[in-house]
């Protein structure tokens, strides 16, 4: 099976690397950013192009959500399967007469960060059982966690990921602003962060909750509010209100 990856960003890089590590041949990596494509090509010994799209049986589109539809139009072949890697878009966003699918890896990707690909869940959606089997078997070569999914369920998977990853990372950034303002090395907080994340491998998040809000410690809550201003104060109040409401305090 001839496979082409379209894109040059974080997801494209990691998909190409995951395939390469498992010996799954790629006919090409295709995109607009020649500098990034060359880096991926040099690192993984892959053919790349910004102009000539290779003929393939499977095209995997790894671009930003707002670009998926437009990029999908460059594929004019009819007898092929095209899959995007978006967590939120329906497979019908793909604009062509080919067979359509979703091939969604549930992970946060950065080119500078190594990943254990076998732990990344993949969610598969296709138009027919044959393509479902094909993509399921392909993903299973990379990952130990592969599931079928509908677009409706995938929307909630992506929403959960935003809460569990993007929002949490934003709170890390806000926390670092506070520690930096007092010249406290943020590294000192990493053991706390690691333990917080590790704990929910063993305990339900709701059971693991600690802190002044769940204790309803009004004195500490008011003290902290006096130390904050602007958006950080708004976030602090909103988060504490949500915690207290969850525990009916």
């Amino acid at each position: 099976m001839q496979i082409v990856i379209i894109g040059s960003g974080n997801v494209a890089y990691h998909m190409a690397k995951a395939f390469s590590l498992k010996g799954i041949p790629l006919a090409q990596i295709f995109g607009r950013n020649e500098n990034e494509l060359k880096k991926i090509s040099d690192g993984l010994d892959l053919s790349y192009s910004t102009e000539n799209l290779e003929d393939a049986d499977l095209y995997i589109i790894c671009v930003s959500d707002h670009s998926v539809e437009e990029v999908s139009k460059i594929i004019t072949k009819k007898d092929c399967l095209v899959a995007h890697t978006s967590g939120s878009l329906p497979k019908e966003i793909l604009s062509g007469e080919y067979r359509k699918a979703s091939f969604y890896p549930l992970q946060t990707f950065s080119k500078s960060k190594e990943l254990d690909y076998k732990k990344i869940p993949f969610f598969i959606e296709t138009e027919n059982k044959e393509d479902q089997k094909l993509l399921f078997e392909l993903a299973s070569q990379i990952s130990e966690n592969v599931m079928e999914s509908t677009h409706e369920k995938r929307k909630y998977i992506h929403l959960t990921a935003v809460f569990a990853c993007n929002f949490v990372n934003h709170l890390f950034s806000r926390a670092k602003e506070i520690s930096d303002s007092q010249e406290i090395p943020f590294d000192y907080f990493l053991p706390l962060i690691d333990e917080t994340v590790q704990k929910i491998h063993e305990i339900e998040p709701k059971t693991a909750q600690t802190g002044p809000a769940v204790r309803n410690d009004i004195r500490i809550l008011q003290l902290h509010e006096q130390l904050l201003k602007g958006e950080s104060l708004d976030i602090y109040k909103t988060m504490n209100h949500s915690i207290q409401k969850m525990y009916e305090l």
Side-chain angles (χ1 to χ4, degrees):
M1 182 172 61
Q2 293 288 92
I3 303 173
V4 168
I5 289 178
I6 299 177
S8 58
N10 294 332
V11 178
Y13 166 74
H14 280 286
M15 287 298 95
K17 185 174 181 180
F19 281 35
S20 296
L21 288 174
K22 286 298 181 180
I24 302 170
L26 294 174
Q28 182 189 56
I29 183 163
F30 181 90
R32 294 177 299 181
N33 191 323
E34 185 163 9
N35 288 335
E36 292 301 317
L37 286 174
K38 189 174 188 309
K39 289 178 185 177
I40 298 172
S41 172
D42 291 345
L44 301 176
D45 192 25
L46 296 174
S47 172
Y48 79 91
S49 178
T50 60
E51 297 179 358
N52 301 310
L53 184 65
E54 287 282 352
D55 182 78
D57 306 297
L58 170 62
Y59 296 90
I60 302 177
I61 298 177
C62 306
V63 299
S64 60
D65 281 11
H66 70 270
S67 299
V68 168
E69 182 175 11
E70 191 63 31
V71 168
S72 73
K73 293 176 182 178
I74 69 175
I75 303 168
T76 57
K77 184 177 180 180
K78 295 181 180 180
D79 184 23
C80 68
L81 176 61
V82 179
H84 67 62
T85 54
S86 167
S88 59
L89 296 177
K91 62 184 183 300
E92 290 78 15
I93 196 72
L94 298 168
S95 183
E97 297 183 42
Y98 40 69
R99 306 186 315 277
K100 301 172 176 65
S102 170
F103 190 74
Y104 174 48
L106 179 60
Q107 187 53 278
T108 175
F109 294 101
S110 297
K111 289 180 181 176
S112 59
K113 180 69 171 62
E114 295 289 326
L115 291 171
D116 185 352
Y117 298 113
K118 70 177 180 292
K119 294 182 179 179
I120 298 176
F122 278 79
F123 295 91
I124 308 300
E125 182 185 4
T126 63
E127 294 178 328
N128 60 63
K129 291 182 178 179
E130 291 77 14
D131 288 335
Q132 185 82 28
K133 183 174 183 291
L134 185 154
L135 289 185
F136 198 96
E137 290 178 352
L138 181 64
S140 295
Q141 293 183 61
I142 301 169
S143 170
E144 297 174 351
N145 302 295
V146 184
M147 288 181 60
E148 297 179 12
S149 180
T150 62
H151 175 232
E152 188 65 23
K153 180 172 287 188
R154 189 158 37 85
K155 287 189 293 185
Y156 283 97
I157 293 167
H158 190 245
L159 175 61
T160 304
V162 169
F163 271 81
C165 173
N166 306 134
F167 287 176
V168 171
N169 189 73
H170 180 67
L171 290 176
F172 291 154
S173 297
R174 288 296 186 182
K176 189 174 186 299
E177 287 180 348
I178 296 170
S179 68
D180 286 352
S181 73
Q182 299 301 309
E183 299 182 349
I184 304 167
F186 189 68
D187 287 354
Y188 286 12
F189 297 91
L190 295 181
L192 172 65
I193 292 170
D194 292 342
E195 176 60 20
T196 301
V197 174
Q198 186 58 41
K199 191 187 295 185
I200 63 170
H201 285 259
E202 303 172 20
I203 306 172
E204 285 282 332
K206 188 173 180 179
T207 304
Q209 186 70 52
T210 61
V214 76
R215 295 195 304 268
N216 200 27
D217 191 332
I218 303 301
R219 185 184 67 85
I220 295 297
L221 293 173
Q222 290 176 344
L223 173 63
H224 286 173
E225 289 177 10
Q226 292 170 12
L227 300 175
L228 295 167
K229 60 183 178 180
E231 289 182 355
S232 292
L233 176 58
D234 294 338
I235 292 169
Y236 187 83
K237 288 181 175 180
T238 299
M239 294 295 293
N240 284 325
H241 175 73
S242 180
I243 292 169
Q244 291 177 319
K245 188 172 181 179
M246 176 174 282
Y247 294 89
E248 299 179 344
L249 298 174

